[in-house]
Amino acid sequence: MKKYSGIHFYINIINFNKIITDEEINTKGVTHSIHALDTFFASIEKYGKNISQNLVVEKITGSRLHLFVVDEVETAFEVVKSVSFYAQKLANYLNKEIPKYKILKDFQINAGASYGGFYDFEFVSKEGYSETTTIGYSANYAAKLQALSGCGMLSISENIYEVLSVEEQKKYKRIDEESLKKYKQDKYYTISFNNLNLYLDEMELQNAKEYANSSNLGDIEFTGVRKLLDFEDLSKTKCKKLDGIPVFADVRGFTSQFDEDDNNLEEMARKTQTILESMYQINTCCGGVHIQFQGDRELSLYHNVPSQIINGVFQSEKKCYKSAVLASMRMIDEIRKYGVFIGVGEDFGKLFATKIGARGEKDNILLGETVINADLMEDKNAKENQVAITEEVFEGLEVEDEYLSSQFKKNGNYYVATVGYKEYIRGLSFKQQEINNSRNNYNGAWRK
């Protein structure tokens, strides 16, 4: 791991879930959404790299682009402002000037930025899979500020605001926010993208149009799966359509353990690394597909494999409900060893898998209403040491393993289990013992 100082910032398409859902309902696919998302993020990356070699595009997490600038705070923030201003202009430009995107609603965006120290961590599995992620207070806090930002707004941390000139500070509005106390903060500052009042050459937007027209919507092909999904086989034009369960596993209250002044950054970075590695190993060993790390959260996928004939032998359909739930329970047991707790959310349904343009098609992307619902299960419904699942997951699980499904209790329109894997196994053992006793199924020598 390498330690740096700089500004983390996130640019997010606020209404992208709605855009995907509408297209999926209207066209039974998400071709236009994938194409537009690729154009948007790839163009931002190209523009940012042209103005600063210190800009790094870390990853795409759903509809959010995570970037950071390694530099002194004043210099780094000039880059943040320029890239954010360009992103806003591009969001307004896409649908109006590029005919293939006219069926989509306009992208509505916001952004958040924070300055501080962080570690750049490259995760490499024993199988050779590699993924880079950053660990630190500033990364987590920037994500929180982005989530708080209004539509068309850039929100910044107090340590960025303090280095601005008095004249520039007057453009920002102070927001007092109770939820920032866990970050040891109580306020942030926000500004409309349009009030940044920066100059943008029209040619920069024309470049995005050229990129969009360099590939046709008809080039994007969706095929089914016949084996475990491998993202190495995917690209913007080679996508997969499948039925499965996205699993979001998030460490609860972890950000509050980071010191604002980065005093415990090295200790927390190593702890984060260990936790992420543990979640990755459990999911890949239990038949899941790792999608990506999202800060101190992991997204993985469990999916059905349709019935087929292989070498003349019929193979029945492989279901994913039980394996997804048991992996979630295993993670609950494993992560509590480190003095922290996770919440897990799952939904089952149609999914679209692809890789898109930022950083040369390096980001694994999973799209669809099912992903949106799984995200909400984790974020809104799963407490510490809980797995929250939708009705669709519960019904499939009930067919595959009735006893496992009985561990879940209904809460409104979803189901929750507060059971780890070891507790489930103990309960299953007692259940089997009761069945054996009721059938007098015990050792005959004892009976004598």
Side-chain angles (χ1 to χ4, degrees), residues 13 72 125 205 286 318 438:
I13 305 170
E72 297 297 323
S125 73
L205 298 175
C286 291
K318 179 186 174 185
S438 67

Side-chain angles (χ1 to χ4, degrees), residues 128-141:
Y129 170 79
S130 173
E131 180 181 347
T132 301
T133 193
T134 52
I135 301 169
Y137 173 92
S138 60
N140 297 340
Y141 191 47

Side-chain angles (χ1 to χ4, degrees), residues 368-426:
E369 189 175 4
T370 305
V371 181
I372 299 166
N373 292 337
D375 190 356
L376 289 173
M377 284 292 114
E378 177 272 303
D379 186 49
K380 304 295 184 184
N381 300 328
K383 305 295 189 296
E384 290 183 356
N385 293 330
Q386 285 189 340
V387 183
I389 62 176
T390 60
E391 185 102 31
E392 289 74 14
V393 177
F394 179 81
E395 290 177 352
L397 184 63
E398 195 173 29
V399 173
E400 200 173 0
D401 189 326
E402 187 175 0
Y403 177 73
L404 183 55
S405 71
S406 72
Q407 307 303 302
F408 287 83
K409 306 303 177 188
K410 190 167 186 178
N411 188 351
N413 62 347
Y414 64 95
Y415 294 79
V416 175
T418 311
V419 177
Y421 180 74
K422 290 179 181 177
E423 185 177 347
Y424 157 73
I425 289 297
R426 282 196 301 269

Side-chain angles (χ1 to χ4, degrees), residues 247 249 279 282-283 327-335 342:
V247 177
M279 291 195 288
I282 288 171
N283 281 306
S328 300
M329 290 179 171
R330 286 179 183 272
M331 283 192 286
I332 285 174
D333 281 352
E334 183 64 25
I335 303 309
I342 62 170

Side-chain angles (χ1 to χ4, degrees), residues 9-260:
F9 68 112
Y10 293 82
I11 298 173
N12 182 53
I13 305 170
I14 303 169
N15 63 333
F16 193 68
N17 287 349
K18 177 64 173 171
I19 290 170
I20 286 178
T21 303
D22 286 351
E23 185 181 5
E24 197 173 343
I25 291 171
N26 295 330
T27 71
K28 309 304 179 187
V30 292
T31 301
H32 296 80
S33 299
I34 288 175
H35 204 287
L37 189 70
D38 174 69
T39 296
F40 186 64
F41 286 150
S43 299
I44 291 173
E45 178 187 27
K46 183 178 180 181
Y47 174 81
K49 284 293 189 182
N50 284 341
I51 64 172
S52 174
Q53 291 304 306
N54 293 328
L55 175 76
V56 177
V57 177
E58 183 182 335
K59 64 177 63 180
I60 300 167
T61 56
S63 62
R64 187 167 70 174
L65 186 65
H66 183 192
L67 313 97
F68 59 86
V69 186
V70 179
D71 214 327
E72 297 297 323
V73 59
E74 298 95 333
T75 308
F77 190 54
E78 290 301 316
V79 177
V80 171
K81 289 190 296 184
S82 295
V83 173
S84 299
F85 186 74
Y86 171 78
Q88 175 66 19
K89 295 299 182 184
L90 181 61
N92 294 333
Y93 179 86
L94 288 178
N95 296 20
K96 293 179 178 61
E97 301 297 332
I98 304 176
K100 65 182 67 176
Y101 300 150
K102 287 189 181 295
I103 75 162
L104 302 176
K105 289 181 170 64
D106 289 345
F107 284 180
Q108 297 174 0
I109 70 169
N110 65 5
S114 177
Y115 178 82
F118 62 93
Y119 277 96
D120 193 21
F121 156 57
E122 183 182 9
F123 172 81
V124 181
S125 73
K126 57 186 177 184
E127 296 80 19
Y129 170 79
S130 173
E131 180 181 347
T132 301
T133 193
T134 52
I135 301 169
Y137 173 92
S138 60
N140 297 340
Y141 191 47
K144 176 64 176 178
L145 293 180
Q146 175 268 304
L148 290 171
S149 293
C151 181
M153 306 295 287
L154 165 65
S155 296
I156 62 174
S157 57
E158 187 172 11
N159 62 358
I160 296 177
Y161 176 82
E162 287 174 344
V163 305
L164 304 180
S165 67
V166 174
E167 280 304 307
E168 189 170 3
Q169 285 180 347
K170 292 177 181 178
K171 299 178 183 179
Y172 289 77
K173 180 181 179 181
R174 170 176 162 163
I175 306 291
D176 295 313
E177 177 59 44
E178 184 78 14
S179 68
L180 294 180
K181 286 188 176 179
K182 73 175 185 178
Y183 299 89
K184 304 176 183 66
Q185 303 284 336
D186 58 9
K187 59 184 173 294
Y188 65 96
Y189 298 85
T190 192
I191 186 173
S192 166
F193 292 123
N194 293 327
N195 288 341
L196 292 172
N197 292 326
L198 300 175
Y199 170 75
L200 179 66
D201 190 335
E202 185 70 20
M203 185 58 66
E204 298 292 352
L205 298 175
Q206 288 288 336
N207 290 338
K209 187 174 184 178
E210 289 180 13
Y211 180 87
N213 292 332
S214 66
S215 62
N216 299 318
L217 291 169
D219 295 336
I220 299 177
E221 178 187 15
F222 289 93
T223 58
V225 292
R226 287 288 177 263
K227 60 179 183 177
L228 195 65
L229 181 67
D230 186 352
F231 274 91
E232 291 301 312
D233 300 331
L234 304 186
S235 66
K236 181 178 68 175
T237 57
K238 294 181 180 179
C239 309
K240 291 291 183 181
K241 181 178 178 181
L242 62 158
D243 294 321
I245 299 175
V247 177
F248 285 94
D250 178 68
V251 184
R252 297 299 190 230
F254 201 49
T255 300
S256 62
Q257 296 186 24
F258 283 84
D259 289 342
E260 178 192 355

Side-chain angles (χ1 to χ4, degrees), residues 432-444 447:
Q432 189 61 51
Q433 189 175 28
E434 288 177 359
I435 293 172
N436 289 342
N437 289 339
S438 67
R439 295 174 179 173
N440 293 324
N441 185 19
Y442 47 84
N443 192 306
R447 187 166 58 245

